[in-house]
Each structure stands twice: as C-alpha cells, then as structure tokens.
Amino acid sequence: MNDNNERRVVSVIVVNEASVLSRITDLFSGRGYNITSLTVAPIPESKYSRLTIVTSGSVRVIEQITKQLHKLIPVLRVYEHADLVEKEMALVKFPITENISDISAICNAYNGKIVNVGNDVIITMVADEPKRVDHYLEAIRKYNPKEIVRSGAVALER
Amino acid sequence: MQISGAQMVIEALIAEGVDTVFGYPGGAIMNVYDEIYKQDSFQHILTRHEQAAVHAAEGYSKASGKVGVSMITSGPGFTNAVTGLADAYMDSIPLVVISGQVPMSLIGTDAFQEIDAVGISRSCTKHNYLVTDAKDLPRILKEAFYIARTGRPGPVHVDIPKDVTAQIAEFDYNVELDLETYKPHVKGNPRQIKKAMEAIANAKRPVFYLGGGIINSNAAYEVRDLVHTTGIPAVETFMARGTLSYDDDLLIGMLGMHGSYAANMAMSETDLVIALGARFDDRVTGKLSEFAKNAAVIHVDIDPASISKLVHANYPIVGDIKNVVNEMLKLSSMVDSNNYEPWRETIENFAQLHPLTFHEDSENIKPQWVVKRVGELLGDDANISTDVGQHQMWTAQFYPFTRPRQFISSGGLGTMGFGFPAAIGVKAAVPEKTSINFTGDGSILMNCQELMTAVEKKLPVINIILNNNFLGMVRQWQTLFYDKRHSETDLSVQPDFVKLAEAFGGIGYRVSTKKEFDAALKEAVERNIVAFIDVKVERFENVMPMVPSGGSLFNMMLLEKKESK
Ligand SMILES: Cc1ncc(C[n+]2csc(CCOP(=O)(O)OP(=O)(O)O)c2C)c(N)n1
C-alpha cells in the first residue's frame, strides 16, 4: 500500500459534556494515532459540539480511527471527509517598521487583512485553505514576522 | 422520593437485581457503606484487596452472565482496582465499579487520597462518570448498568464524591434512558447473512473460528446447532473454551500459540474462515500475513471496530452473535454437510498425526496429568478458573470442558493474581458447583490474601498449585529463546503453602504422588473447605505445541520424542 500517511480530515459530533474532549484525545494517544490539528466549538442551538481533526494515516488506520471514535459513548457521528471546503486561520505580528502596504497587499491575496495597528506592531489575519496559509507564511517571511499563530482547520462537506 | 446519594446507590443496585457486591471500604465511600450496613437485599463480600474485589466481580459475572459489581474507596483503593478494570476491559466483562472520591470542594487540591480516577480509568473502561450532583445519580447508574451489559460488554466506572453521597435529592429510577449517541447494532444485515451462507455453501474447507464473544452473547447452544447442522469443523479460541463440549466430533481443538496441531493446520488450510465473536488476537493468529492465507473471511461481531481491524473481512456482519447465528440457522438448508466430508477426513488425519498429548513420567507428576485427572474426577461438576502461566495453558488444553461459562481465565490482559479472587466470585455465583482454581507457585502469591475472604465467607475454592518452583512460562521462553538463561524466574525459595493456607483457617495438602493427589482432592471436595493443594510437578516441562511469537501457525514446535531440559 502506498497510501501511507495521507492527510485526512475527520469531523466528530459529540455531546457537550465534561471531559469529552479528553476522551477523544486519549483515544488518539492511547492507540498511537496522530493529531495534526484539532478545532472544537459548540454547535449553535444544540447540545452538541463539533470537532474537526486533521490526522494522517493509511486507509486502514483512518477506518480504525473512525470506528474507534464512534465507539465512544458521547460521540453522535463521525465523518471522514472526501470532498470538502476547509479553512484555517493565521494571525501574524510584524514590526511597525516593515512595509505596511506590501504586507496588506499580500494579505489581500490570501483572504486576509490588517486587523490591528499599534505603536510597535501591526497584526494581520488570513483565513484560507491550509495549503494557501502555508504559502502565505512563506511569502511574508522576508517582512520579519515576530509571532505567528495558526488555528486548526475547520471543514464542511461540499 | 427524596434520599441521599448513598441511599440512591443502594436503591439502584436493588433495582438492577444485584445480589452480590464485592468491595473494600474507606473514607470517601463510607456514606455508601453505612447504607450497605442497613440493608439486607444483597450480600457484600469484603475482599482483602481492591484488585481482588474487581477480579471477584469478574469471576462472578463470567460464571453467572450478570453484571458484576464492586465498590471501592478513593485514591489507593481506586488505583488498586485499576488492574481489575483493565482486565475486564480486555475481556469484555460487564462490570459496574463504583468508587468514592474526595468531596467536590477538594477535587483538584491534591487532597488526602485524591486521584484523578476518571482520568485514569478512561483508557481501561467502556465508559466512566464523575458524578457532580446527586440528582444525576439515578440516570448515571442506570446508564452504567445498561452500557456495561449491552453491545460489546465492558466495565463502567462511576466515581462519586463524598459530598454527593451525602446530598439529598429526588430519586426516581424509572428515568428514561436518553442515549441517542449509544445504539449498539444487534441485528445483522439480512443480505450479508444470506451472502455469507452462500459462501459457506460454496466452500470446500470451511472452518468455524469460535471466539469469546459467543460466551458473552449466551450464544453457545445456538452455535452448537449451527456447527452440527452444517457439519463444519470448529476451532475455539482460549476465550471460547466450552462453547462446544470437549467430546464433540466437530471440535478440532484450541488454536493459536498453544493450540493443537490439527486446529492450527485447519486454520492454515481452510478456504473460508467463519469467525464468530473472535477478534484475531495476535496470540491466535501468529504471523498475520500467513494466517488463513487462502481463505475468505466471514466475520460476525457486535463491535464494528473489531471487524477488519487485523484481517480483512469479505463478509462483515455487525450484530449480536446469538441473533446472527439464529438467522444463519434459518438458512442452514442452503448448506449440504456431506460436501465437507473430505475436509473432515483431512482434519482427522492432522489430529492423528500430532495429537495433543504429553509424555507421562514415572518419577514426577506431570502438570498435564493433574489437569486431566481433575477432569476425570470432577468433569462437569466443577467450574474452572486459572491464573496466568503454563498452568493456564495446560488447563485450556487438557481440561474436558463441557459447557460455556465453565472456564474462567484472564485472556486479554493475562493477569497473574486473577485466578483465586475470580474463583471466589465464581463460587459466590454458582455455589452448587465445585470451584477449582489452577494456579502457579508464582501467581498464587499475587492475591493469596484472599484466603481470608474465602474462609470468612465460606466460599470453598480449591486452589491447585502446579508447583514447578519457577515462573514457568517465562522460564519456558528463556529456555527456548534465551539460551537457558533463567534470569529471575527461579522460585526455589517458597513459602510453606500448607501452613499459609492453615494460617488463614483453610486447609493445605502437600502432594508428590498421584495417589496423594487423588486423596487430597477427594478430601478437599468432601470437606467443602478452602484449600491449597500444593502439587510438586516436573520442573522443566514446556507447554507444547507452541507457535513462537510472530511465527506462522503451520510452523509449530511440536512435542519432542525425548524431553530436553
Ligand atoms: C501481573 C503479571 N506480572 C507478570 C506477568 C508475566 N508472566 C506471565 S506468566 C508468568 C509466570 C507465571 O508463573 P506461575 O504462576 O508460577 O505459573 P507457571 O507458568 O509456572 O505455571 C509471568 C511472570 C503477568 N502475566 N502478570
């Protein structure tokens, strides 16, 4: 099999209850599965939360991950996405001395903008596909970013 | 009705029909123990260690088919019980384990006897709860019993802070269970079942691969019907011993690392594996890529995650074994048992080529002889539990099991110290049968304090110590794979097991001849008393045949003509 360690996105709908998140992360660590990123938030007007987990593994591993997740009592549904819209966010802090208009132009190209300008720093935000966020972070390297935060992915089936 | 959290625990146990609780008190669970004192609806068996309380509940559950219950305190009480939880989890045994916790106001302060119990038990339970309000207790306890016994059964842990057991709230056990995220799939897909039956009808060399799930699902008698109407030979896993009676013509034997030659060869030569409630454990399959290499696989299991986890299933069927087997029985006219006659003959030849046997010895008692002898003397009248090691494998190989739930042993975790407390639980569940525990001189010391429990509660377990002055199973591997370097496995220095039994008020026998053994067993059974029978057996005996770990089933080390030391 040459499908080893392919990147996969899995969504999990869980009942909002104490320690449900650690049940999920314990399952990954206990069984030696990998979590690349994880995003959680309550689903509005429901008693559920949605987790988006980016992971990697062979077809067999992913199948086990979904089955084992489903076995957890508070898990309602598990989707392994094939065709999806996926977004990630990055916040970057630059010295105020960098070229603001260049930075702003790059941000625009990646669905982003400058969100804060202070005395010493400017902060930008982009939200785009994970690959494109990679490219963005490449592109802004020469503007001496002081700090970068990246969120996990969120995804919806098309 | 407005009652305390502690009273709720008692009421819930009564409502669930619990008749026996195994436990050990302490500060955090005292409110509940105070209520236990006041009631007489169920008996409480005080073990002398929390690990034993859980193993006893496991033995009770395995022998009776009911949910086992144990009760323990916080901190060290809970951590002592963890091995039991892990053991029950690995063997899918339905348990509800209730632990006390420090009061809510102290949680997270590193209080006296505080430990993150639900954090610890998460990875070795089917589900767990920290109860933060007494008004949730009826629902949680009801869910706990339901989750423990349905689907793939398993242990459920309920951790209750001390102030919650004191809190007064409304109790109504008729709460509706609202588990919309937990819906075990019990009915197999009819189309898949039909396809599976077609595959069986078209196979030339099919084999039933019977696993412990059959016992859990109380499906052994339905499985017997299916095996007999189809005429297809069957192998049993260690956990499935007793599904077919030992004298069943279609039973090939146990398969796996210490399985019989015929069973492992049948698995290697088959063209269709019909796996029922079995999970393709590595001790069973040997080298996976060589396991049943030319066979299609029908896999029936209640747990979807077990199917195709290790071996690809061509016919996956998720469902309760009993249910699915009943459906298969309805279609059994599709199958002509005469078609498999040549295959049955092939298997018969395998069995004759290398029968499961051992070399008798005129000087020493062979451990296998002891197992066979107990089988001759007690047979179906005994329930058999074991500890872990060579004696465990010899018991699985040589005891003439006639029925499901007769054999109780720690399979998945392989927990030394399991046998004696489990046998106490077995005796509590099925008092009319003799309760025998085959154990080793290593294993018995891991929970020998339970002599006190057995003596106090008059639960006369007979422990037969196959005493080889070794941690025998480890010694066997050292002999075979580590050039006889017997590192830290020599148990030449031993307690006096007779005096040990006597010190607790039981009885001990030291046995070094066959005659003495017969006499000791007869007397222990007749006197109906807690006993240790310390049998001096051949020190260097190996469990044979053997598939070295990671090897292929068809490459077995067989019993040698002359024994080597
Ligand atoms: C709690 C625990 N510790 C260690 C082991 C590893 N182990 C497996 S078998 C065995 C030897 C058992 O010796 P004994 O009880 O004397 O039985 P024998 O093999 O001699 O029949 C050991 C140490 C285990 N299974 N469980």
Side-chain angles (χ1 to χ4, degrees):
Chain A
M1 268 193 273
N2 55 359
D3 57 353
N4 268 350
N5 289 335
E6 224 175 271
R7 181 179 183 280
R8 306 292 169 109
V9 181
V10 179
S11 287
V12 191
I13 313 292
V14 297
V15 178
N16 283 329
E17 62 176 37
S19 69
V20 58
L21 187 57
S22 53
R23 280 187 211 282
I24 303 234
T25 52
D26 278 7
L27 186 147
F28 274 78
S29 58
R31 291 185 181 262
Y33 306 143
N34 165 47
I35 296 182
T36 310
S37 82
L38 173 102
T39 317
V40 205
I43 299 175
E45 284 161 46
S46 81
K47 55 176 184 177
Y48 299 109
S49 278
R50 183 186 184 101
L51 282 78
T52 310
I53 303 172
V54 180
T55 180
S56 55
S58 62
V59 174
R60 177 164 278 182
V61 166
I62 300 295
E63 186 182 321
Q64 264 303 304
I65 290 178
T66 52
K67 282 177 171 174
Q68 295 290 351
L69 282 171
H70 212 144
K71 256 175 92 165
L72 296 176
I73 309 288
V75 168
L76 179 69
R77 216 163 284 140
V78 184
Y79 308 94
E80 198 229 310
H81 295 293
D83 186 20
L84 50 96
V85 175
E86 191 186 341
K87 296 287 174 198
E88 219 179 85
M89 192 172 121
L91 294 175
V92 183
K93 194 186 276 179
F94 296 93
I96 194 85
T97 49
E98 294 296 327
N99 186 330
I100 294 195
S101 53
D102 277 11
I103 290 174
S104 170
I106 296 172
C107 286
N108 279 333
Y110 290 97
N111 283 326
K113 57 184 179 192
I114 292 173
V115 290
N116 188 279
V117 182
N119 287 339
D120 304 323
V121 294
I122 56 174
I123 296 177
T124 64
M125 179 210 83
V126 300
D128 212 326
E129 278 131 51
K131 262 267 145 51
R132 287 180 46 84
V133 174
D134 289 346
H135 295 158
Y136 166 76
L137 295 176
E138 267 307 294
I140 48 93
R141 275 237 296 265
K142 62 176 175 226
Y143 300 98
N144 301 310
K146 287 160 72 99
E147 249 182 286
I148 299 174
V149 228
R150 213 175 153 155
S151 75
V154 290
L156 272 184
E157 199 106 310
R158 263 187 235 270
Chain B
M1 154 172 76
Q2 295 270 328
I3 55 175
S4 73
Q7 286 171 304
M8 290 185 191
V9 173
I10 307 301
E11 292 299 327
L13 296 183
I14 293 170
E16 292 290 344
V18 171
D19 56 27
T20 308
V21 172
F22 303 89
Y24 205 100
I29 194 80
M30 268 171 74
N31 291 335
V32 180
Y33 269 88
D34 195 44
E35 297 303 326
I36 289 178
Y37 186 86
K38 297 176 195 159
Q39 60 81 45
D40 51 15
S41 300
F42 56 82
Q43 64 167 335
H44 179 276
I45 294 180
L46 174 71
T47 57
R48 289 333 191 244
H49 192 294
E50 289 87 352
Q51 183 189 351
V54 183
H55 290 327
E58 289 180 85
Y60 175 91
S61 171
K62 284 197 122 183
S64 68
K66 297 190 236 170
V67 178
V69 178
S70 32
M71 188 101 61
I72 52 193
T73 192
S74 67
F78 172 75
T79 53
N80 271 350
V82 171
T83 302
L85 283 172
D87 191 88
Y89 185 57
M90 293 288 277
D91 285 346
S92 308
I93 301 175
L95 295 186
V96 171
V97 174
I98 297 171
S99 58
Q101 180 56 279
V102 301
M104 296 273 288
S105 56
L106 292 182
I107 288 181
T109 65
D110 300 328
F112 177 65
Q113 295 195 332
E114 183 193 355
I115 196 82
D116 173 13
V118 286
I120 292 174
S121 73
R122 200 169 291 136
S123 58
C124 55
T125 49
K126 184 174 173 185
H127 195 49
N128 64 11
Y129 298 88
L130 172 66
V131 186
T132 54
D133 192 318
K135 74 175 188 324
D136 299 332
L137 259 175
R139 172 185 60 84
I140 288 176
L141 289 167
K142 197 162 187 176
E143 280 182 15
F145 275 90
Y146 178 71
I147 289 171
R149 70 172 162 254
T150 53
R152 179 176 179 167
V156 178
H157 169 215
V158 183
D159 196 34
I160 318 178
K162 189 169 184 178
D163 49 345
V164 174
T165 57
Q167 190 190 338
I168 306 285
E170 179 64 23
F171 179 82
D172 177 6
Y173 207 63
N174 292 321
V175 275
E176 284 282 320
L177 285 188
D178 175 28
L179 283 164
E180 77 176 299
T181 59
Y182 175 72
K183 294 211 166 68
H185 203 82
V186 292
K187 218 176 146 305
N189 178 310
R191 280 221 317 271
Q192 277 300 91
I193 294 175
K194 178 113 185 288
K195 275 204 222 156
M197 290 307 284
E198 279 163 10
I200 294 175
N202 291 326
K204 292 207 165 51
R205 299 183 305 280
V207 168
F208 277 109
Y209 162 28
L210 309 179
I214 295 168
I215 313 251
N216 280 338
S217 132
N218 290 317
Y221 291 96
E222 289 79 358
V223 167
R224 287 181 182 195
D225 278 356
L226 186 63
V227 168
H228 293 142
T229 49
T230 57
I232 296 172
V235 298
E236 283 178 359
T237 66
F238 175 82
M239 295 307 288
R241 290 310 255 162
T243 302
L244 300 183
S245 179
Y246 76 102
D247 52 0
D248 194 312
D249 288 339
L250 287 166
L251 175 62
I252 315 173
M254 181 170 80
L255 87 164
M257 181 174 275
H258 294 297
S260 67
Y261 175 80
N264 285 347
M265 287 310 288
M267 259 307 175
S268 303
E269 303 276 308
T270 179
D271 63 352
L272 180 69
V273 174
I274 312 160
L276 304 178
R279 61 191 175 94
F280 297 85
D281 186 274
D282 51 294
R283 293 266 149 144
V284 163
T285 62
K287 190 175 180 185
L288 256 187
S289 56
E290 303 278 349
F291 177 77
K293 213 174 168 182
N294 303 310
V297 173
I298 297 171
H299 192 174
V300 186
D301 207 292
I302 186 93
D303 176 9
S306 280
I307 292 179
S308 289
K309 181 163 68 178
L310 296 158
V311 168
H312 174 73
N314 308 73
Y315 306 91
I317 301 172
V318 178
D320 180 52
I321 305 290
K322 192 169 187 135
N323 206 299
V324 174
V325 168
N326 274 327
E327 294 304 311
M328 291 171 95
L329 273 169
K330 288 184 198 156
L331 300 174
S332 61
S333 62
M334 292 168 67
V335 175
D336 180 359
S337 107
N338 292 322
N339 291 346
Y340 315 126
E341 187 52 39
W343 172 229
R344 287 191 293 263
E345 269 168 34
T346 307
I347 289 171
E348 184 52 39
N349 290 337
F350 288 144
Q352 295 195 345
L353 196 58
H354 297 291
L356 182 66
T357 183
F358 61 98
H359 296 304
E360 282 285 1
D361 186 325
S362 48
E363 274 167 60
N364 299 313
I365 299 188
K366 284 296 182 86
Q368 300 94 325
W369 176 86
V370 179
V371 173
K372 280 188 85 165
R373 188 68 185 145
V374 177
E376 283 161 17
L377 295 175
L378 299 179
D380 184 61
D381 292 338
N383 278 331
I384 305 296
S385 58
T386 78
D387 263 301
V388 172
Q390 293 183 307
H391 61 274
Q392 178 188 31
M393 291 302 134
W394 286 317
T395 306
Q397 289 178 328
F398 290 101
Y399 197 88
F401 296 107
T402 46
R403 56 189 159 82
R405 301 195 183 279
Q406 186 181 14
F407 177 53
I408 282 116
S409 190
S410 166
L413 199 65
T415 309
M416 289 171 74
F418 171 87
F420 187 15
I424 290 173
V426 171
K427 187 69 189 176
V430 192
E432 65 278 13
K433 297 269 182 198
T434 304
S435 192
I436 300 283
N437 176 39
F438 284 104
T439 180
D441 44 319
S443 291
I444 191 62
L445 288 183
M446 284 210 180
N447 269 320
C448 59
Q449 76 286 343
E450 295 312 315
L451 268 162
M452 205 66 266
T453 308
V455 167
E456 185 202 349
K457 293 292 177 188
K458 299 202 169 44
L459 294 167
V461 170
I462 300 173
N463 290 280
I464 300 175
I465 306 172
L466 298 180
N467 191 341
N468 50 15
N469 290 92
F470 268 125
L471 293 172
M473 188 57 101
V474 184
R475 194 279 307 151
Q476 171 167 344
W477 285 50
Q478 290 169 334
T479 301
L480 297 174
F481 311 118
Y482 290 85
D483 209 12
K484 301 187 185 168
R485 290 185 297 279
H486 295 155
S487 175
E488 301 298 322
T489 48
D490 190 313
L491 299 184
S492 292
V493 178
Q494 291 196 319
D496 181 329
F497 286 114
V498 173
K499 282 191 186 153
L500 183 67
E502 285 169 1
F504 285 91
I507 185 161
Y509 302 89
R510 188 168 294 109
V511 162
S512 47
T513 66
K514 293 179 176 177
K515 235 176 109 186
E516 284 170 356
F517 178 76
D518 281 4
L521 182 63
K522 187 160 176 277
E523 188 181 304
V525 171
E526 275 170 12
R527 286 181 61 183
N528 203 20
I529 184 173
V530 183
F532 274 14
I533 305 181
D534 179 16
V535 193
K536 198 149 193 56
V537 296
E538 160 62 38
R539 277 198 93 190
F540 290 92
E541 189 72 8
N542 288 335
V543 183
M544 286 295 161
M546 175 176 195
V547 179
S549 98
S552 319
L553 288 188
F554 52 82
N555 266 333
M556 306 191 76
M557 300 167 82
L558 294 159
L559 188 67
E560 288 167 35
K561 290 278 175 293
K562 263 238 163 87
E563 306 222 70
S564 65
K565 297 212 162 171

